Amino acid sequence: MTDTLSFDAKQVMPGHADLYYGGGWHAPVSGTYDDTMNPAIGQPLGAVATAGKADVDAAVAAAWQGFLEWRDVAPLERARILKEIAALLRKHGDELAMIDAANCGNPYTEMRGDAAIAAAQMEFFAGLVTEMKGDTIPMGPDRVNMTLRQPLGVVARILAFNHPFMFCGGKMAAPLAAGNAVIIKPPVQAPLSALRLAELVDGLMPKGTFSVLPGGTEAGAALAEHPDVAKVTLIGSVPAGRAVMRSASATVKPVLLELGGKNALIAYPDSNPEKIADAIVAGMNFGWCGQSCGSTSRAFLHEDIHDEVLSYLSDKIARYKPGIPTDPETTMGAIVSRDQFNRVMEYIDSAKSEGARAVTGGYAVTDGPLADGCFIAPTIFADVTPGMRIAREEIFGPVLAVRKWGDEDEMLREVNSLELGLTCAIWTRDLVTAHRTAARVEAGFVWVNEVGRHFLGAPFGGVKQSGIGREEGIGELISFTHEKNVHINLSGQ
């Protein structure tokens, strides 16, 4: 890998850039390698293998052999191995965070938290291996009827670029705990931390149990439609989710999709305006440039507190200043790629042309060392109307739209008017209002007087076109098993 960082990259970057499957490293059949970038400085970090259909076929065959061995490992032994992996994630958390900071543009300090979350998820699911329980069903004398939970086989997980290592290290946990083999397709924009993870866990599980296949849409489609892949999951955009569903339909395999969000933060008039300003800033995840499907990017402020909330925002947002992501002092990183940067700037330009008022930000940052990077100031627009693009479309950037409301029914109709329904944050001091609104909003995950946080054990996922299925709880583990019924006639012989 090219040393383009302010530290010795050779000490933290993966030593391999090929495909990892069958317990070893393999060059792609096509011989294709593509540069992966550091979006903060606009320079390549090195060339990484790009998997194609032939590589997917080879990796799935190896994963199937790994599954046949891994499924028979006793549950508590699987748990012990997963806890050993979790310990490795904690031990190497700083270097994994630095790899992601360089490769995806999120700040090093935020990525350290991601590494810790991945380790916690591994430990959490390791602790649930004995909870994949069946039932006994009464059938009368001389008969026993019971259900078993068994692993699916080979599972493919296609990941997004905003939390590369957290998704890789955390999302492998549930299917592995259930006894499946896992193939990770890391994000095209940021594959390096997944390759480093493969180096760290090499040899801890049977060969083929864990694979990493960097690649683009060809690899993703090949995994989704492969007859020997039992389930495919995606964290990504709605169009990507639709494409995975189409490919998976060829073999009628189940999917788990965590897709986009255009999430609402609703502030009632009894809310504390300064706390609402804090929540608006926290809920947008400005640290990683708003590149989060769960970001509350639409703020609905009651007319009684609207102006006062806005008056706090400039000061509240001041701590988020774009900087070089690998610098531990940086509080806000870079957009992941030049294409994504251009997309976000197009939304900002459209908001201005449609009449929205920039309360803060609304421009690219190109000062000094940031001149060649993909940096955008944290941006909040007021005077937004329902027809504006920034009010209706997921931007996946540091841009928030503020709406003033007075009529609750009208406000809730607008909140629920979109095809997306991932998260929602409700702010009120009234318990009845909180319960009523939580019941009426069309979202899969609702906070009341809280925003942005995930809780291990609490199911996370969306409704409508924000996804299918739930993660981060026991339901995720169970979703990587199938239920088998066994009926025994004790008097049949």
Side-chain angles (χ1 to χ4, degrees):
M1 297 297 169
T2 304
D3 188 356
T4 58
L5 309 178
S6 59
F7 54 87
D8 185 356
K10 294 179 181 179
Q11 293 181 3
V12 296
M13 291 291 152
H16 296 85
D18 287 321
L19 312 174
Y20 179 79
Y21 62 87
W25 296 91
H26 306 269
V29 172
S30 67
T32 302
Y33 291 77
D34 293 311
D35 279 338
T36 187
M37 303 295 291
N38 180 336
I41 60 176
Q43 296 293 323
L45 288 163
V48 173
T50 297
K53 185 179 183 305
D55 303 300
V56 168
D57 289 342
V60 171
W64 179 255
Q65 294 304 312
F67 161 68
L68 294 178
E69 188 173 348
W70 181 246
R71 71 178 179 182
D72 291 335
V73 174
L76 289 178
E77 175 62 11
R78 287 204 303 269
R80 185 196 66 76
I81 293 170
L82 295 185
K83 290 174 182 176
E84 186 175 347
I85 294 172
L88 281 172
L89 304 190
R90 293 193 186 279
K91 178 180 178 181
H92 295 274
D94 285 354
E95 69 180 72
L96 291 161
M98 193 63 79
I99 291 170
D100 269 358
N103 202 192
C104 80
N106 291 336
Y108 166 71
T109 49
E110 297 281 3
M111 295 298 92
R112 290 183 71 192
D114 273 12
I117 290 171
Q121 290 178 334
M122 189 70 68
E123 292 162 345
F124 175 78
F125 285 108
L128 292 178
V129 293
T130 58
E131 294 303 309
M132 294 176 289
K133 299 172 180 176
D135 298 301
T136 56
I137 304 163
M139 292 288 170
D142 299 325
R143 282 171 172 79
V144 174
N145 190 286
M146 62 184 181
T147 62
L148 306 174
R149 284 282 169 189
Q150 295 185 319
L152 298 174
V154 178
V155 171
R157 305 215 73 166
I158 302 171
L159 307 180
F161 62 72
N162 49 333
H163 299 283
F165 180 73
M166 185 181 80
F167 288 151
C168 182
K171 300 307 180 186
M172 64 190 274
L176 286 176
N180 300 279
V182 180
I183 298 176
I184 296 289
K185 193 190 88 62
V188 173
Q189 302 90 338
L192 296 181
S193 58
L195 294 175
R196 179 61 182 138
L197 177 61
E199 294 175 346
L200 292 173
V201 305
D202 182 53
L204 293 180
M205 294 172 283
K207 293 179 179 180
T209 304
F210 176 69
S211 308
V212 176
L213 296 185
T217 55
E218 180 184 350
L223 286 167
E225 66 190 19
H226 200 288
D228 291 331
V229 170
K231 182 171 184 173
V232 62
T233 80
L234 170 80
I235 302 172
S237 67
V238 172
R242 293 171 183 152
V244 165
M245 287 191 74
R246 285 192 294 269
S247 295
S249 69
T251 51
V252 200
K253 64 169 58 74
V255 299
L256 192 160
L257 307 174
E258 199 235 282
L259 307 179
K262 188 68 175 176
N263 310 297
L265 183 151
I266 302 169
Y268 279 89
D270 62 346
S271 302
N272 180 301
E274 186 172 5
K275 288 185 177 181
I276 297 303
D278 286 326
I280 285 173
V281 174
M284 262 307 295
N285 300 309
F286 281 119
W288 50 93
C289 299
Q291 296 174 119
S292 171
C293 55
S295 291
T296 44
S297 56
R298 295 184 294 161
F300 290 81
L301 307 181
H302 190 272
E303 58 192 9
D304 289 354
I305 61 172
H306 175 274
D307 292 350
E308 187 175 356
V309 172
L310 292 187
S311 71
Y312 287 111
L313 286 176
S314 293
D315 287 340
K316 299 294 184 183
I317 212 168
R319 69 177 296 266
Y320 291 102
K321 183 179 180 182
I324 297 298
T326 52
D327 183 345
E329 300 300 316
T330 292
T331 56
M332 182 177 180
I335 301 294
V336 72
S337 68
R338 183 59 59 179
D339 285 346
Q340 183 66 10
F341 170 88
N342 291 337
R343 182 176 182 270
V344 175
M345 290 304 301
E346 184 181 315
Y347 274 106
I348 289 173
D349 292 341
S350 76
K352 293 175 180 178
S353 66
E354 290 174 343
R357 170 171 59 92
V359 177
T360 63
Y363 54 87
V365 179
T366 58
D367 301 334
L370 311 187
D372 297 322
C374 301
F375 297 95
I376 298 175
T379 299
I380 295 176
F381 282 105
D383 303 336
V384 175
T385 58
M388 293 180 181
R389 290 181 64 198
I390 64 165
R392 304 191 63 80
E393 300 177 19
E394 184 182 32
I395 300 171
F396 222 66
V399 182
L400 179 137
V402 175
R403 293 278 292 124
K404 182 190 293 188
W405 67 275
D407 180 89
E408 183 183 54
D409 288 336
E410 182 179 331
M411 177 269 293
L412 288 172
R413 278 194 296 272
E414 185 178 339
V415 167
N416 293 332
S417 67
L418 306 185
E419 64 183 14
L420 303 174
L422 187 55
T423 72
C424 181
I426 300 162
W427 289 78
T428 178
R429 299 177 184 178
D430 184 81
L431 187 61
V432 174
T433 299
H435 279 284
R436 181 182 67 242
T437 308
R440 293 181 66 183
V441 294
E442 296 171 358
F445 197 98
V446 177
W447 298 279
V448 176
N449 297 334
E450 180 87 73
V451 68
R453 294 185 64 194
H454 290 225
F455 308 90
L456 264 179
F460 184 86
V463 299
K464 301 194 284 189
Q465 294 192 41
S466 282
I468 297 172
R470 295 293 181 267
E471 298 179 290
E472 302 178 18
I474 192 170
E476 180 181 355
L477 179 70
I478 297 302
S479 78
F480 290 106
T481 68
H482 66 80
E483 189 175 40
K484 177 184 286 185
N485 185 267
V486 178
H487 182 85
I488 305 171
N489 183 352
L490 299 177
S491 60
Q493 291 291 335

